[in-house]
Amino acid sequence: QAADSKREQFRRYLEKSGVLDTLTKVLVALYEEPEKPNSALDFLKHHLGASAPENPEIEALRLEVAEMKEKYEAVLEENKKLKTKLAQYEPPQDEKHGE
């Protein structure tokens, strides 16, 4: 009887967290697929991955990467401008050897 109670608690947990609903939707999609895929497991993995909510940490990292790319591009542009500016103050290469 204790095992039945644990099962029932687990079932309620899965239902409450939306797992049962999501699994049902993916299994129904597989059932309704006119041409069954070679790998039902790959089908489930693909559809579960696509329907799962985005992990907040992953989204935060994506934003951070986008910001870093912008900063990197800005630094490259600034470096290019500074090199151009510096070249105005440096004597040409062949004059340096004569000093």
Side-chain angles (χ1 to χ4, degrees):
Q1 189 174 1
D4 287 342
S5 175
K6 276 189 165 185
R7 277 193 208 119
E8 183 58 27
Q9 285 178 339
F10 187 63
R11 187 195 63 74
R12 281 195 302 255
Y13 162 74
L14 292 176
E15 192 174 313
K16 183 178 169 185
S17 62
V19 171
L20 289 180
D21 188 45
T22 302
L23 282 175
T24 302
K25 286 178 183 175
V26 173
L27 290 172
V28 167
L30 177 59
Y31 176 78
E32 293 176 346
E33 191 71 23
E35 293 184 30
K36 302 295 183 247
N38 292 331
S39 172
L41 187 57
D42 286 344
F43 180 91
L44 293 175
K45 286 179 182 178
H46 173 76
H47 283 78
L48 284 173
S51 64
E54 187 66 46
N55 183 334
E57 289 180 26
I58 293 173
E59 186 56 32
L61 289 172
R62 282 192 179 129
L63 288 172
E64 187 176 349
V65 166
E67 289 174 18
M68 291 297 145
K69 284 181 179 179
E70 284 182 28
K71 287 180 182 179
Y72 173 74
E73 293 298 326
V75 166
L76 284 180
E77 187 61 33
E78 181 184 18
N79 185 301
K80 186 177 173 183
K81 288 178 182 176
L82 289 172
K83 281 182 177 180
T84 302
K85 198 173 192 178
L86 181 62
Q88 295 173 355
Y89 298 104
E90 288 183 340
Q93 285 291 344
D94 50 353
E95 286 183 23
K96 279 187 173 180
H97 296 297
E99 289 178 11

